[in-house]
Amino acid sequence: MSDFQTLLLEGPIDFVGQQLTDSITFYLVSIAGAVAFLVGIIAGDISLTAYTSALIFTAGFVIVVFPWPFYKRHPLKWLPPTTQN
């Protein structure tokens, strides 16, 4: 398996990365809705509104869903396992 495939298939990200994806998703959806609405109003075409929002959401999907390395910058330091007697 290539390094790029391994990068995309390794799922775990840290908590800071999860918070970052949440923020990116929130702002992306807000901005995509506003931009698509304005494009639709200016052009006067509802299908252009749908295409614009679909394009922005697809770009956001690629940014947010895959576990890119910048989501893994703050790994957790786990405690060593303890033995129970």
Side-chain angles (χ1 to χ4, degrees):
M1 194 177 291
S2 72
D3 290 335
F4 186 70
Q5 287 174 334
T6 304
L7 168 75
L8 292 181
L9 296 178
E10 272 186 27
I13 61 174
D14 55 46
F15 291 118
V16 177
Q18 289 176 0
Q19 185 178 15
L20 180 61
T21 59
D22 185 48
S23 297
I24 289 171
T25 302
F26 174 77
Y27 290 116
L28 184 78
V29 168
S30 302
I31 291 170
V35 168
F37 178 75
L38 290 174
V39 167
I41 291 293
I42 291 170
D45 187 8
I46 190 73
S47 64
L48 192 57
T49 302
Y51 292 141
T52 304
S53 61
L55 179 69
I56 295 172
F57 288 139
T58 303
F61 177 83
V62 170
I63 292 169
V64 172
V65 170
F66 296 114
W68 300 106
F70 59 89
Y71 294 138
K72 302 176 187 180
R73 290 184 184 162
H74 306 282
L76 289 176
K77 307 259 191 273
W78 295 98
L79 295 174
T82 58
T83 58
Q84 295 181 355
N85 293 330

